Amino acid sequence: MSTFKEMGLKSEILSAITDLGYESPTPIQKLALPKVLESKQDLIAFAQTGTGKTAAFSLPILNQIDSSAEGIKCIVLSPTRELGLQIAEDIKSYSKNIPGFKVVAVYGGADINQQMRKLERGCDVVVGTPGRTLDLIKRNRLNLEGVQYLVLDEADEMLSMGFAEDLDAILANTPKEKQTLLFSATMPPDMVKLSKKYMTDPAEISAGSKQQANTNVTHQYYKINSRDRYPSLKRAVDIAPDIYGIIFCRTRAETKEVAERLAEDGYNTDALHGDLSQAQRDYVMNRFRNRQLQLLVATDVAARGLDVNELSHVINFKLPDEDAVYVHRSGRTGRAANVGISLSLLTAKEENRLRYLEKKIGRKFEKVLIPNGQEICEKQLFSLIDNIKETEIANSHIDGFLPQIFEMFKDMTKEEVLKKIVSTEFNRFLEYYRDAPDLNKTSDRRERERNKEKNNGRDQDDRGERRNRREKREHKTAANMTRYFINQGKKDGFSPKLLMGMINSHMDGLSPEIGQIEIMKMFSFFEMESGHTSDLQRAAKQMEFNGREVAIEESSPRPEGGVDRKEKRSSRRERSGDHRGSSDNRGNSGRSRRRPSGGSHGAKRRRRY
Ligand code: AMP
């Protein structure tokens, strides 16, 4: 059985997937479809995002659901809002020709009343994040008593995000008689427990081995000195002028810091991490999806559900603790028949870890030398020339200026003109890398330090400043205070004084206490006596700073030092629709160009600063 038709899918579904351009089933679909179509046996499927796993579980379920019957027939649980929405969208397109078929997505960070209304109207399939699903069950707004199919998608992720208890509670509300399908990239010990508890004699299928890394991915690493981690990252990016990738960091603080440094250095980047609100997170993800951003700096959890197929690179600024997370990270590149590079920056100590990881995933890592200045300049130069050659000429617009342009260049040879044009774009790289040290040499530190100083101090660690920032960040939000995000930062000329002034003059005679203020590069956080969110947001609507509208949103409180397990779980749960802060427009890749701050429609009504 090598075609969807031969597998027995009904014509409504066949026509829908033909419209989507699916010609033949992917390996995981070839294995999963017959299992679900022909038996009621539970199923554990090992498959990563990008393998066609959504269709692997959706198509056979849709094929069997009777949409004329009342009640929810299938519940799909997914770790994040983004993945949930993606699954619901896919199901919608697969079922578009089935009369009366309905799917509803439920997830945190969005209006629960609206979701309740949709559920009330009735549907066949619900796709939900565990936290919101449980919330709706507790409110008696989601009845799973009639479900025939339960799908746990990215089950390993749900467990690693601390959803085990929620899953227990949700599953307790489903009938005993049902088919449970568990999709996962890996099989951590918790999942073995989960499958034993909730599945009956499950069949196992796999589109590869359980921790098999994607074969289209080349796994590379730079051996670095730990103090050269950031400059090595820059070289990795600079040697790949057309890079479109994600840089993974281990913590929110590290993510923000790397993104800020890259933005300061003129790269087209933004950060995705746990301090952003859902709206800010969507904004960053959309810009990355639309390629308005070339680089995304992200934590693992924040990047879940970001489904982008054409990533050229995944860069592990630091390796994750768990091997499975490395598999997830690297599996984000090399998708859909593309090839990709997963590059890790490793110190000698971290290199030991790599050998173990290699054994686990059954793939070899290739040690690559950190490129030197000359190699980077060469690469950038030829990429620039390629770009110039490929640029389309806007004939009708340019022609009118040509006589004047020829006149301006009349004293120069063709060679001189070319040199000048190339230099306007290229000088920055030449300048930066003129005396760049060989980062592969770890012994000659003194010389490297001297060279770093010559390089304008860009690669220096700024330890004092960073320590200060870190200390500020680790300050916990006082109990009676709420922490807010505001879309104005140092780059906008924003300061604590301006913030206080703006608040005082717009709060209609209220004088709430203001706590800690953290002015970051592109945005800021501040604390204010709790209970004033709506006054504050009303006030923000009347404000304008440097021609930009002011946006203020509640942010999560700053954890003190680390995060305890409970906090971690709840903040992760929150993350299936939670609060983060985002930086705004950044420079253009390697070209230090900031977009002019846009004028606002509401500018006249807003007070300008
Ligand atoms: P998934 O692993 O479910 O995230 O799917 C990855 C991508 O593959 C999605 O864009 C799907 O639309 C696409 N896809 C799934 N199955 C097929 C198929 N049989 N043929 C072509 N594309 C597919």
Side-chain angles (χ1 to χ4, degrees):
M1 281 192 289
S2 57
T3 66
F4 287 116
K5 195 170 178 189
E6 284 165 343
M7 286 176 175
L9 290 183
K10 50 191 187 189
S11 58
E12 293 97 318
I13 297 179
L14 286 173
S15 57
I17 58 176
T18 306
D19 287 351
L20 290 171
Y22 295 8
E23 285 170 6
S24 53
T26 65
I28 195 69
Q29 291 163 2
K30 274 188 192 152
L31 295 168
L33 263 76
K35 284 261 182 272
V36 186
L37 285 168
E38 291 160 19
S39 92
K40 288 281 162 247
Q41 191 183 6
D42 288 347
L43 180 70
I44 297 178
F46 294 100
Q48 297 178 33
T49 301
T51 54
K53 67 181 170 64
T54 313
F57 62 75
S58 311
L59 299 179
I61 293 177
L62 298 185
N63 207 59
Q64 297 176 85
I65 278 180
D66 174 7
S67 59
S68 63
E70 287 285 303
I72 297 161
K73 291 102 191 163
C74 169
I75 169 96
V76 181
L77 295 170
S78 97
T80 62
R81 159 191 153 121
E82 288 73 25
L83 183 61
L85 280 168
Q86 182 66 51
I87 295 170
E89 274 309 306
D90 286 350
I91 294 181
K92 231 178 248 170
S93 22
Y94 302 149
S95 61
K96 67 176 184 181
N97 300 326
I98 306 178
F101 189 95
K102 270 202 214 156
V103 53
V104 170
V106 297
Y107 44 83
D111 184 2
I112 195 165
N113 294 313
Q114 209 178 353
Q115 293 174 1
M116 290 193 295
R117 281 194 293 277
K118 282 190 186 161
L119 289 172
E120 234 166 69
R121 277 180 234 131
C123 64
D124 302 283
V125 176
V126 170
V127 184
T129 52
R132 180 55 63 97
T133 302
L134 187 58
D135 193 355
L136 288 160
I137 292 174
K138 284 182 180 162
R139 293 173 189 232
N140 286 327
R141 298 307 188 113
L142 179 59
N143 182 346
L144 299 180
E145 279 166 13
V147 300
Q148 300 149 23
Y149 302 95
L150 164 76
V151 182
L152 301 167
D153 193 25
E154 301 209 350
D156 50 351
E157 268 311 304
M158 287 198 277
L159 292 177
S160 81
M161 286 169 74
F163 284 131
E165 284 170 25
D166 288 359
L167 291 181
D168 280 347
I170 296 168
L171 267 60
N173 281 278
T174 58
K176 238 185 158 11
E177 283 297 308
K178 63 180 179 295
Q179 190 170 18
T180 302
L181 313 178
L182 184 153
F183 277 71
S184 185
T186 60
M187 190 69 168
D190 293 11
M191 228 177 63
V192 177
K193 257 199 262 168
L194 182 93
S195 63
K196 286 204 171 123
K197 201 163 160 190
Y198 292 110
M199 301 178 88
T200 317
D201 182 28
E204 268 193 29
I205 55 170
S206 172
S209 73
K210 289 172 199 175
Q211 291 204 339
Q212 185 69 61
N214 186 334
T215 47
N216 289 339
V217 181
T218 308
H219 300 261
Q220 300 181 339
Y221 74 99
Y222 286 171
K223 175 131 177 229
I224 58 158
N225 186 304
S226 74
R227 70 179 63 193
D228 292 332
R229 199 178 288 276
Y230 179 71
S232 303
L233 169 69
K234 284 185 58 164
R235 297 223 182 158
V237 171
D238 288 345
I239 196 73
D242 295 324
I243 189 170
Y244 176 49
I246 304 180
I247 298 163
F248 280 103
C249 296
R250 288 162 63 107
T251 63
R252 296 175 191 190
E254 190 176 81
T255 305
K256 283 185 210 172
E257 191 167 316
V258 170
E260 273 181 38
R261 292 188 82 182
L262 285 171
E264 272 169 37
D265 287 344
Y267 295 87
N268 181 16
T269 185
D270 210 335
L272 195 63
H273 53 73
D275 281 340
L276 306 192
S277 73
Q278 189 61 55
Q280 289 154 352
R281 196 173 169 211
D282 288 346
Y283 175 67
V284 174
M285 289 212 251
N286 277 337
R287 290 175 68 214
F288 185 63
R289 272 193 207 103
N290 300 336
R291 297 211 176 203
Q292 287 165 281
L293 295 175
Q294 197 173 6
L295 295 168
L296 186 70
V297 188
T299 56
D300 292 291
V301 176
R304 297 301 308 161
L306 175 67
D307 200 16
V308 179
N309 277 338
E310 297 99 20
L311 291 187
S312 66
H313 286 69
V314 160
I315 299 182
N316 298 290
F317 188 69
K318 284 196 189 140
L319 275 185
D321 282 334
E322 288 174 40
D323 302 339
V325 177
Y326 178 83
V327 178
H328 271 298
R329 285 185 182 182
S330 58
R332 295 185 154 274
T333 181
R335 285 190 185 174
N338 295 316
V339 287
I341 291 174
S342 171
L343 175 73
S344 304
L345 309 181
L346 304 176
T347 59
K349 210 164 136 205
E350 290 161 342
E351 199 183 16
N352 296 331
R353 162 88 203 286
L354 190 67
R355 304 291 162 226
Y356 180 71
L357 182 62
E358 272 183 341
K359 276 194 200 138
K360 277 268 189 195
I361 63 167
R363 300 290 309 278
K364 273 270 166 220
F365 280 74
E366 185 189 328
K367 183 177 172 185
V368 183
L369 287 179
I370 305 170
N372 61 31
Q374 169 152 6
E375 287 163 330
I376 290 174
C377 288
E378 243 176 69
K379 192 80 186 217
Q380 289 286 344
L381 176 64
F382 290 112
S383 159
L384 173 64
I385 292 171
D386 277 346
N387 283 345
I388 293 178
K389 280 175 76 178
E390 278 167 24
T391 301
E392 277 181 36
I393 299 171
N395 269 328
S396 54
H397 295 288
I398 294 243
D399 284 354
F401 298 109
L402 276 180
Q404 222 174 323
I405 294 172
F406 287 140
E407 175 65 24
M408 289 166 93
F409 283 122
K410 77 172 188 303
D411 296 329
M412 281 185 220
T413 63
K414 181 179 160 189
E415 231 177 308
E416 281 171 327
V417 173
L418 272 177
K419 274 190 196 167
K420 279 195 183 277
I421 289 173
V422 171
S423 298
T424 47
E425 286 281 350
F426 185 57
N427 277 356
R428 201 181 76 87
F429 276 102
L430 278 180
E431 186 60 32
Y432 182 74
Y433 282 112
R434 179 170 296 148
D435 298 317
D438 178 1
L439 297 185
N440 296 296
K441 273 192 208 152
T442 50
S443 53
D444 201 0
R445 282 193 194 156
R446 272 210 202 131
E447 189 194 328
R448 197 170 53 231
E449 288 307 315
R450 269 203 307 276
N451 282 331
K452 273 188 190 171
E453 275 167 28
K454 275 188 204 159
N455 283 334
N456 243 348
R458 274 168 180 270
D459 288 343
Q460 295 205 37
D461 272 341
D462 295 329
R463 286 178 199 281
E465 196 199 326
R466 282 203 280 156
R467 199 178 315 119
N468 279 344
R469 268 194 258 160
R470 201 173 309 123
E471 279 166 7
K472 273 187 189 171
R473 283 180 194 135
E474 284 173 0
H475 213 276
K476 199 181 174 188
T477 308
N480 60 340
M481 290 279 180
T482 301
R483 190 160 170 263
Y484 294 94
F485 161 91
I486 179 165
N487 66 339
Q488 306 290 333
K490 253 186 238 164
K491 278 220 159 156
D492 308 290
F494 200 56
S495 67
K497 203 172 153 196
L498 274 162
L499 174 74
M500 309 275 274
M502 279 164 90
I503 291 172
N504 288 336
S505 55
H506 287 286
M507 291 287 280
D508 291 336
L510 297 169
S511 46
E513 200 185 325
I514 295 173
Q516 194 191 346
I517 300 174
E518 298 163 73
I519 306 287
M520 320 290 273
K521 199 87 216 157
M522 317 299 285
F523 53 85
S524 306
F525 291 99
F526 66 94
E527 292 169 1
M528 184 189 274
E529 194 183 321
S530 297
H532 290 288
T533 303
S534 49
D535 300 319
L536 192 57
Q537 287 182 332
R538 204 170 312 117
K541 288 204 179 102
Q542 301 158 16
M543 300 177 193
E544 187 182 287
F545 187 72
N546 268 347
R548 272 178 61 207
E549 292 182 4
V550 173
I552 296 177
E553 287 188 30
E554 251 186 58
S555 177
S556 42
R558 170 74 46 212
E560 194 162 26
V563 207
D564 71 33
R565 279 190 64 153
K566 208 164 148 215
E567 265 184 68
K568 206 166 168 180
R569 192 166 59 232
S570 64
S571 74
R572 278 171 172 175
R573 177 177 303 141
E574 203 186 332
R575 218 165 294 145
S576 22
D578 71 349
H579 295 279
R580 283 127 220 258
S582 152
S583 52
D584 208 326
N585 292 337
R586 296 282 164 82
N588 221 330
S589 171
R591 273 158 214 147
S592 282
R593 230 181 268 143
R594 272 198 94 202
R595 284 198 213 153
S597 20
S600 64
H601 295 303
K604 283 199 183 91
R605 280 181 283 112
R606 286 174 176 263
R607 166 104 171 252
R608 293 171 185 209
Y609 288 85

